[in-house]
Amino acid sequence: MTTVPEETARPLRVATVPYAGAYLDAVLPETIVRVGPAGSPSPWLDVRHLTAHAGEVDVLHLHGGYDHLTVAEMEAWTAAVRRTGVPLVVTVHHLDALEGADTGTHPESARARHRAHLRALLGTAEVVLTLTRGAADEIADRYGRTAIVVAHPSLAGPTPDVGRETRLVGLHLGRLGADVPEAEELVRAALSGAVSGGGRLRVDVHPDVDLVAGLPGLLALADAGELELVRSWPDDPAAWVRHLQELHVSVLPRRTGTHSGWVELCRDAGTRVVVPGGGQHAQQWSDVVVYGNDPRQGLDAASLNSAVVAALTRPAPARVDRAWRAEQRVAVQRVHAQVYEQVAADVPVR
């Protein structure tokens, strides 16, 4: 194989799906050219766009954003990837569908579709990445593929001089969509744990949420002074870390998800996080507290109560080593660069 001299070699062109995001900004090497266009859903998931523009990229890297595709559409798309010869890299962030991924249908169909998507994708991918050893083991068991484990890097550092309120428990419900089921029961269980642990509960919701129609019980608890209700939606990872720095404990409400950027934000903020069971969050960061909440069994309110008490009474997490986190991020970018170089070098000239 003829090698292009290093001084004349052009940067590799990588199309990522989705095009942008805090995680992608953290893991992508500076040496690559990220190819657009931006859009949701990504134009690269359209067979016609992929076929017409395949010659403009060296690597296609899929992270997510494909839940809208039917199984037949995904199979047609992966067939098109094989026809064009563009090497596909897949990072498996979630082994099962996130809650609300199939709005209006039974959750079982969303899970079945997500697994069919992964079968098609992992049967086509040149390289598979994931974030924890536990997820890699599941990928090997379910799909017969070996996944390279790359740690989830830091998304933002803590802001100096942001005060933390001792024994303040935070629960951010976001937009109160289908990904936060049993929200009122969740709030009451977290509230009970906060009070039992000698603390108080702050509940944040997105400013656009109509609480009167969507969660009247939350308004009643706030009006009675039993919890603090705040409208917030920080607009970048640094702002989220500042939000988390104010808390002693943060409760992650989503009942599905193999990995979570929220865990990493809490880690960087130095805030203990209470996470639902069923994922690999404890392998992301060992200093988490787990409670029962999964798609099949639903919320175990008693376990959430106990988890919040335990999180409040344990010693605070060790302060994160920023130098180590920076080195980790560089290492993750290096792995991505090596993978892109490898798969691009294996492709015949198109």
Side-chain angles (χ1 to χ4, degrees):
M1 181 179 70
T2 302
T3 302
V4 179
E6 186 175 346
E7 62 271 18
T8 62
R10 59 169 171 77
L12 289 177
R13 304 163 299 173
V14 180
T16 60
V17 180
Y19 173 72
Y23 177 84
L24 286 168
D25 293 342
V27 304
L28 287 179
E30 294 181 359
T31 53
I32 66 101
V33 173
R34 196 183 326 189
V35 179
S40 183
S42 170
W44 286 101
L45 292 172
D46 181 274
V47 169
R48 290 169 297 181
H49 181 91
L50 170 64
T51 303
H53 298 278
E56 300 170 16
V57 295
D58 300 300
V59 180
L60 184 60
H61 191 162
L62 191 67
H63 291 267
Y66 50 81
D67 286 331
H68 64 288
L69 297 178
T70 65
V71 174
E73 287 169 339
M74 176 59 81
E75 291 173 346
W77 185 80
T78 51
V81 171
R82 293 191 293 271
R83 284 197 305 272
T84 61
V86 179
L88 176 65
V89 176
V90 174
T91 296
V92 180
H93 292 269
H94 300 293
L95 282 156
D96 288 296
L98 294 177
E99 202 78 30
D102 198 9
T103 304
T105 65
H106 192 280
E108 281 295 345
S109 66
R111 284 194 287 274
R113 185 175 65 179
H114 186 78
R115 292 192 179 198
H117 283 168
L118 285 180
R119 278 195 298 274
L121 289 169
L122 302 190
T124 302
E126 298 293 331
V127 174
V128 180
L129 305 175
T130 194
L131 310 185
T132 57
R133 173 50 53 194
D137 291 343
E138 286 193 53
I139 290 166
D141 290 343
R142 291 188 195 179
Y143 304 103
R145 289 299 306 265
T146 298
I148 299 171
V149 178
V150 285
H152 193 307
S154 172
L155 300 179
T159 300
D161 303 322
V162 173
R164 185 185 315 281
E165 180 180 330
T166 302
R167 299 191 182 278
L168 175 61
V169 178
L171 173 63
H172 206 303
L173 294 174
R175 289 184 169 85
L176 299 176
D179 58 343
V180 188
E182 302 167 341
E184 288 197 5
E185 186 180 2
L186 190 79
V187 168
R188 292 182 184 279
L191 174 60
S192 177
V195 173
S196 297
R200 69 185 187 92
L201 179 67
R202 167 179 163 173
V203 178
D204 286 66
V205 295
H206 193 282
D208 295 340
V209 171
D210 181 356
L211 288 174
V212 174
L215 208 60
L218 177 57
L219 279 175
L221 289 169
D223 290 342
E226 296 189 48
L227 55 80
E228 179 186 3
L229 179 59
V230 179
R231 300 281 194 158
S232 76
W233 190 252
D235 56 6
D236 59 52
W240 279 110
V241 171
R242 287 195 297 273
H243 162 79
L244 291 166
Q245 282 181 261
E246 299 172 356
L247 309 175
H248 188 142
V249 171
S250 175
V251 177
L252 179 62
R254 173 169 278 174
R255 62 166 54 168
T256 57
T258 304
H259 306 108
S260 173
W262 191 266
V263 170
E264 301 298 331
L265 292 171
C266 287
R267 186 179 193 173
D268 286 321
T271 299
R272 174 156 283 111
V273 58
V274 175
V275 299
Q280 298 293 337
H281 305 108
Q283 289 200 4
Q284 280 185 253
W285 184 28
S286 60
D287 209 350
V288 303
V289 182
V290 179
Y291 72 99
N293 197 5
D294 64 67
R296 293 174 178 83
Q297 301 298 322
L299 172 65
D300 180 346
S303 77
L304 176 54
N305 184 331
S306 300
V308 170
V309 173
L312 283 172
T313 54
R314 289 184 186 179
R319 185 180 297 274
V320 70
D321 184 334
R322 296 309 308 167
W324 173 76
R325 287 292 259 171
E327 291 171 2
Q328 181 189 51
R329 181 167 173 163
V330 170
V332 168
Q333 292 174 350
R334 187 181 303 118
V335 170
H336 281 73
Q338 291 169 347
V339 167
Y340 296 153
E341 290 165 6
Q342 171 198 322
V343 298
D346 289 343
V347 176
V349 176
R350 288 182 274 131

